[in-house]
Amino acid sequence: MKSKTGTGRKLNNLYQSLLKTYGPQGWWPLINKKNLKCEYKGKKKLTDREKFEIAAGAVLTQNTNWYPNAVSALQRLVCGRVTGINAKINFPKNRNHLTPLTIARLTMPRLQQLIQPAGFFRQKALYLKALADFFLQNKTLSRNSLLEVKGIGMETADSILLYAFHRPFFIIDAYTRRILSTVGISSAETKYNDLQKLFTANLYPEAELFKEFHALLVKHGKLHYSQKPYGQNDKLLKRL
DNA sequence: AGCCAGGCTACCG
DNA sequence: CGGTAGCATGGC
C-alpha cells in the first residue's frame, strides 16, 4: 500500500479478502494447441503469438461470456476449422493458426464463420483484422496506439497491456464499477480514467497484483453483481 | 421466456 | 458533452 488513506486501505482489504476467499484465478488462460483445452500456463514468459492470442481473446470476449463463447471461437481459430477437435483433415496437427498473419490472410466470410460462437461476429471479425494489422505493423505499443485500433476501447486496451504485455494498467470493467460504487469508493458517474486512477494511485503498480486483483473482481462480480439489486448477498464487502 | 455476458462504435440531441 | 441502439451467440 502506498497510503493509509481510506481508499488505499479499503482497496488493500478488498484484495486480501478476495484472494483469501477465491484463491488465484489463473488469468490469462491460453488454448493448448494439442488438445484445444483452455488453461493457464503459469507466469512463464509469453511468446509473441501468445500475446496476440490474449489480445484476440480480449476482443472476442467483449460483452460475451468467456466460456463457452469466446473460448470456442479461439479454439476454432487455433485449429483452423469450425468442427472442433473431431475433424482431422486439411490442417497440420499441433499447429496454431491464431497468428496475425493468418488472421490477416483469412477472408472475411471465413473469419466470421470461425468466430461465430463468440457473438457479434461481423463486428468482431473487423476488429480482429484491425488487431492483426496492428501487430503486423510493429507499431510502438502504447495505450493511445491501441486505442486507435478499431474495436479497442479503454478496457480492451488495458486488458492487452496488462495481460499480454505485463504493463501495470488497471482494468475497469462493469463488475469493478458496480463493486466500487457499492463499497462507496466511487459513484456511478465516475469516469473510466478516474476509476483507474483510484487503483494506480493507491496500489504499487505491479502487473502481477493488477492481474490477480482484476480477475478476482470479475470472479466476485459474477457471483454477487450480475443481477440487480447488485451486491445484495455480498457478505465480503460488508467488512472492509 | 427473458436476462445476462471479462464492450465498442456510430449516431443522436 | 452524455445517452443509447445495435451488434449475436449460448447458458441458466
Side-chain angles (χ1 to χ4, degrees), chain A residues 167-186:
Chain A
R167 305 209 184 168
F169 287 81
F170 205 96
I171 298 162
I172 306 299
D173 73 317
Y175 292 131
T176 304
R177 290 179 176 282
R178 295 170 192 170
I179 292 172
L180 282 194
S181 59
T182 300
V183 183
I185 292 181
S186 68

Side-chain angles (χ1 to χ4, degrees), chain A residues 1-17 170 180 183-186 195-204 209-210 213 240:
Chain A
M1 257 355 346
K2 269 182 182 173
S3 70
K4 294 298 179 182
T5 65
T7 302
R9 180 182 48 75
K10 279 183 185 174
L11 289 178
N12 190 38
N13 290 345
L14 175 57
Y15 175 71
Q16 297 300 336
S17 303
F170 205 96
L180 282 194
V183 183
I185 292 181
S186 68
L195 287 168
Q196 184 177 58
K197 203 171 300 180
L198 281 176
F199 288 90
T200 51
N202 288 294
L203 302 172
Y204 287 111
L209 167 64
F210 285 13
F213 203 163
L240 287 184

Side-chain angles (χ1 to χ4, degrees), chain A residues 71-207:
Chain A
V71 168
S72 13
L74 287 168
Q75 290 171 327
R76 291 158 68 137
L77 290 170
V78 165
C79 71
R81 40 191 159 73
V82 298
T83 45
I85 59 177
N86 294 321
K88 43 191 167 187
I89 49 171
N90 290 341
F91 288 92
K93 289 179 181 173
N94 291 350
R95 180 154 174 192
N96 197 320
H97 299 273
L98 182 43
T99 69
L101 198 54
T102 303
I103 299 296
R105 288 177 171 170
L106 238 29
T107 65
M108 281 302 286
R110 180 66 174 149
L111 181 55
Q112 289 176 356
Q113 181 188 35
L114 287 167
I115 68 172
Q116 183 176 1
F120 304 137
F121 58 88
R122 295 183 188 86
Q123 294 193 47
K124 286 176 179 175
L126 292 171
Y127 297 169
L128 288 184
K129 285 284 190 182
L131 182 69
D133 288 343
F134 177 84
F135 272 71
L136 288 172
Q137 286 165 16
N138 240 344
K139 293 176 74 172
T140 305
L141 179 74
S142 69
R143 195 168 192 259
N144 283 333
S145 64
L146 280 172
L147 288 173
E148 288 173 7
V149 179
K150 189 70 66 187
I152 298 186
M154 288 186 283
E155 183 182 338
T156 306
D158 290 332
S159 300
I160 294 170
L161 288 164
L162 180 60
Y163 288 103
F165 293 94
H166 202 68
R167 305 209 184 168
F169 287 81
F170 205 96
I171 298 162
I172 306 299
D173 73 317
Y175 292 131
T176 304
R177 290 179 176 282
R178 295 170 192 170
I179 292 172
L180 282 194
S181 59
T182 300
V183 183
I185 292 181
S186 68
S187 71
E189 307 85 55
T190 313
K191 300 188 184 316
Y192 187 101
N193 288 329
D194 292 326
L195 287 168
Q196 184 177 58
K197 203 171 300 180
L198 281 176
F199 288 90
T200 51
N202 288 294
L203 302 172
Y204 287 111
E206 297 165 353

